[in-house]
Amino acid sequence: GKTEVAMRAAFMAVQSGKQVAVLVPTTLLAQQHYQNFADRFAEWPVKVDVLSRFKSAKETQLALDRMLEGKTDIVVGTHKLLQKDVKFDHLGLLIIDEEHRFGVQQKERIKSLRAEVDILTLTATPIPRTLNMAMASIRDLSIIA
């Protein structure tokens, strides 16, 4: 359900000429999301890439270059996506899976992106603070049942 929503949002952003970053807390989840996105968009002119520790330094640099040149439409990665040296040509959407599993430093970087890009946060189990923010209308909340 939530991955389907993320893929549809990513597709709409790419069709609007924007790049999409999918931020996940673990390398294994990055690989799973990468495979799902790559499979889904295999028949479309959408370039999907992944940044994780499973990639060599050379592969990582090539992926970063493609992102900066606008040749990558969707990139899936761990906290590496939030580092200062990671640059996009035209980032329009940040999808965060399991935001509560990121630390303070990563959340501060995410907060700095909020003014520039749309952010979609996915979670299977909303933590009380997030739920409270939604109930107080500070944050939007959609439920897939």
Side-chain angles (χ1 to χ4, degrees):
K2 63 182 184 156
T3 303
E4 180 64 26
V5 170
M7 283 195 257
R8 289 175 185 234
F11 185 76
M12 294 301 292
V14 169
Q15 291 302 306
S16 298
K18 307 284 186 171
Q19 289 174 302
V20 178
V22 182
L23 179 64
V24 296
T26 66
T27 304
L28 183 60
L29 191 56
Q31 196 60 38
Q32 289 172 339
H33 275 314
Y34 166 71
Q35 199 60 57
N36 286 336
F37 276 79
D39 290 348
R40 170 61 68 87
F41 299 123
E43 309 225 353
W44 292 89
V46 175
K47 174 68 177 138
V48 182
D49 224 330
V50 63
L51 289 178
S52 75
R53 62 185 169 99
F54 291 153
K55 298 289 184 182
S56 69
K58 184 178 179 180
E59 290 172 314
T60 297
Q61 189 56 53
L62 286 172
L64 291 171
D65 292 344
R66 284 191 300 268
M67 288 164 44
L68 186 57
E69 295 166 6
K71 294 179 181 174
T72 297
D73 298 305
I74 301 171
V75 63
V76 180
T78 57
H79 61 279
K80 168 100 176 127
L81 285 175
L82 298 174
Q83 293 179 352
K84 296 274 187 209
D85 64 331
V86 175
K87 305 255 188 272
F88 291 85
D89 178 48
H90 205 263
L91 183 63
L93 176 63
L94 173 63
I95 299 171
I96 308 167
D97 198 358
E98 303 297 338
E99 181 184 29
H100 63 274
R101 293 183 58 189
F102 290 98
V104 173
Q105 197 171 22
Q106 288 91 13
K107 287 184 180 180
E108 286 301 316
R109 177 75 173 122
I110 291 167
K111 202 184 301 181
S112 73
L113 292 172
R114 283 195 193 280
E116 303 166 21
V117 301
D118 292 321
I119 297 179
L120 175 64
T121 304
L122 312 173
T123 185
T125 53
I127 58 174
R129 187 187 75 229
T130 304
L131 196 53
N132 183 45
M133 288 170 70
M135 300 307 279
S137 299
I138 296 171
R139 186 175 223 181
D140 291 336
L141 176 72
S142 296
I143 299 173
I144 301 171

